[in-house]
Amino acid sequence: MSKRIYAGNLSYTTTEETLRDIFSSFGEIVSVNLIIDKDTQQSKGFGFIEFADDSAAEKAIAAQNGKELDGRKIRVSMAEEKKERGASGNGFRRDGGRRNFDRRDRNPNRGSERSFDRGRDRDWDRDDSY
């Protein structure tokens, strides 16, 4: 069973090849994924290394956590599963986080039949011929 580890506080100059070279001495690497910013195409300073063996991942964590790589002390730990985010995709509720809030409370005519009727009555009031 493969294990993923997290490598953080990486230098922006660190590459996937560098991570592969450093961590390959601990065991067989399945994949290396350095997280890149979509807009700037620059490293975000962290990545994930997946090992084929659990013991290799534990050895890598014990040996590399706090070591210096490209001028920075890196943090290495077990990768946690991604937490589920809200339906809007940004982790926040669409109603601004307010509970028991109904937009109709702000404007009683919004979303009701009365707003339509009032508009129609206003048009008819302009024409007094009926």
Side-chain angles (χ1 to χ4, degrees):
M1 183 172 161
S2 62
K3 275 289 193 195
R4 282 176 40 136
I5 64 171
Y6 163 83
N9 199 32
L10 299 173
S11 171
Y12 295 130
T13 59
T14 302
T15 64
E16 287 184 356
E17 291 78 27
T18 305
L19 291 175
R20 187 176 297 278
D21 291 342
I22 296 295
F23 288 99
S24 64
S25 63
F26 300 103
E28 181 184 348
I29 293 179
V30 175
S31 67
V32 176
N33 186 12
L34 187 65
I35 307 303
I36 304 293
D37 185 271
K38 292 178 184 176
D39 296 330
T40 63
Q41 298 301 312
Q42 184 178 11
S43 167
K44 286 191 172 187
F46 68 96
F48 300 95
I49 300 99
E50 186 174 359
F51 285 93
D53 186 25
D54 293 350
S55 63
E58 291 170 6
K59 288 178 193 174
I61 291 169
Q64 292 298 321
N65 190 30
K67 296 285 178 140
E68 191 168 313
L69 176 65
D70 293 334
R72 299 188 71 165
K73 286 188 178 182
I74 64 172
R75 285 176 284 183
V76 183
S77 64
M78 283 293 184
E80 297 178 7
E81 290 298 319
K82 194 176 202 180
K83 294 181 181 177
E84 195 64 34
R85 291 166 57 169
S88 63
N90 62 4
F92 295 99
R93 293 174 47 157
R94 289 179 187 226
D95 62 0
R98 299 182 193 119
R99 295 179 189 265
N100 300 324
F101 177 76
D102 189 0
R103 290 186 185 275
R104 285 176 283 169
D105 292 342
R106 283 191 304 193
N107 183 354
N109 296 323
R110 183 179 177 159
S112 68
E113 294 178 18
R114 287 190 340 182
S115 64
F116 175 73
D117 293 339
R118 285 179 56 190
R120 185 175 57 197
D121 291 341
R122 216 173 337 157
D123 292 341
W124 286 358
D125 287 341
R126 289 187 194 139
D127 184 18
D128 293 331
S129 62
Y130 68 98

